[in-house]
Amino acid sequence: MAQEKQLKVPQHVAIIMDGNGRWAKKRFLPRNAGHTQGSRRVEEICREAWQIGIKYLTLYAFSTENWSRPEEEVRALLKILRNYLKESIKKATENNMRVRVIGDRSRLDADIRESIERLEEVSAANTGLNFQIALNYGSRDEMMRAVRRLLSDYDKGAITQEQLTEKVFSGYLDTCDIPDPDLLIRTSGEERLSNFLLWQCAYTEFYFPEVLWPDFDKNELKKAVE
């Protein structure tokens, strides 16, 4: 009898959580209902990712472009985010997750920044899933911030032109101590990166399922990995 093919599990999976608004519209609900349901899906996917052997999971939660959405929707997204960050301290401890936030924190309100710092501090020693939340994140913005830090170091004499390599530049990015994604998933069938991990995804495999994010469950994750 032929042996069952062993599942090759990627070390790092990144997900663009797309389709919350369309999920709500199909059910004649306000867009905010889709965002709320989408946030509930995160814990299940984190838990399942670790169970099948994924070590790093990065989710695109709020982009630098999201600020241009209607003010009411932005407020609702930030409210969901505030609640999620507070709950995550308990969840990270229960699930042994190390949680980090990538992106530009300077535009976020002080209470959100404090919650991020607290969450990262509390979960820093956890040894389970490495969970990255991309918050006020845009890949072009990330690279611009990296270049500014690089130029500052150059002006100080801390680095020379000859020392600059791809590996050195990667060290200035938000993901400096995280391996590049092996697999990127974007739900809802859209086939674009939307300014997400552009440098890091140079050799990443892409998967674009039609399912909307609030319906993306553990079976869909396994299907993506397979």
Side-chain angles (χ1 to χ4, degrees):
M1 184 172 66
Q3 289 186 340
E4 184 178 350
K5 185 179 179 181
Q6 187 174 5
L7 185 64
K8 184 179 179 182
V9 179
Q11 178 181 217
H12 182 182
V13 174
I15 303 179
I16 300 174
M17 304 178 289
D18 196 13
N20 291 337
R22 276 167 282 176
W23 183 90
K25 186 177 181 180
K26 284 174 65 176
R27 290 160 177 78
F28 303 101
L29 298 171
R31 286 179 63 87
N32 296 345
H35 296 310
T36 300
Q37 183 63 27
S39 70
R40 292 173 181 153
R41 185 62 68 186
V42 171
E43 184 178 8
E44 176 189 351
I45 296 303
C46 286
R47 187 168 54 248
E48 183 62 24
W50 179 248
Q51 287 179 354
I52 65 176
I54 294 169
K55 296 179 180 178
Y56 295 83
L57 179 68
T58 303
L59 301 185
Y60 205 5
F62 191 93
S63 75
T64 50
E65 290 78 19
N66 282 159
W67 295 107
S68 63
R69 293 189 178 192
E71 186 177 348
E72 182 181 351
E73 185 175 356
V74 171
R75 283 200 305 267
L77 283 169
L78 293 177
K79 181 179 179 181
I80 292 170
L81 175 65
R82 281 183 166 91
N83 294 334
Y84 181 79
L85 288 172
K86 290 175 182 176
E87 293 174 1
S88 287
I89 293 177
K90 179 181 178 182
K91 292 176 181 177
T93 302
E94 290 176 349
N95 298 320
N96 193 29
M97 292 192 306
R98 182 182 181 184
V99 186
R100 285 169 282 193
V101 171
I102 62 173
D104 182 9
R105 304 180 189 184
S106 63
R107 190 172 176 180
L108 301 173
D109 290 339
D111 66 305
I112 295 179
R113 295 197 303 269
E114 289 169 6
S115 292
I116 291 171
E117 291 169 7
R118 176 65 176 156
L119 176 58
E120 290 182 332
E121 179 185 352
V122 167
S123 68
N126 291 344
T127 57
L129 179 71
N130 289 271
F131 178 38
Q132 292 69 235
I133 305 171
L135 181 56
N136 194 30
Y137 175 88
S139 192
R140 289 181 177 181
D141 175 75
E142 175 191 31
M143 285 189 271
M144 290 299 294
R145 287 186 284 108
V147 169
R148 292 188 189 103
R149 289 194 294 271
L150 176 61
L151 290 175
S152 177
D153 282 351
Y154 177 78
D155 289 341
K156 296 172 186 174
I159 188 171
T160 66
Q161 292 186 38
E162 292 73 21
Q163 291 173 320
L164 182 58
T165 62
E166 289 186 5
K167 183 177 180 180
V168 169
F169 181 73
S170 293
Y172 285 88
L173 298 173
D174 296 349
T175 54
C176 57
D177 56 349
I178 302 168
D180 291 342
D182 305 291
L183 172 66
L184 181 137
I185 302 166
R186 178 171 186 149
T187 56
S188 86
E190 297 286 345
E191 298 183 5
R192 48 197 165 90
L193 291 180
S194 295
N195 199 18
F196 185 50
L197 301 177
L198 302 180
W199 175 276
Q200 297 88 340
C201 284
Y203 298 100
T204 300
E205 293 190 40
F206 299 152
Y207 179 67
F208 303 110
E210 294 289 336
V211 63
L212 304 176
W213 172 250
D215 293 326
F216 190 86
D217 58 15
K218 62 182 183 181
N219 294 323
E220 291 291 341
L221 179 62
K222 286 181 180 178
K223 191 187 300 182
V225 170
E226 289 171 354

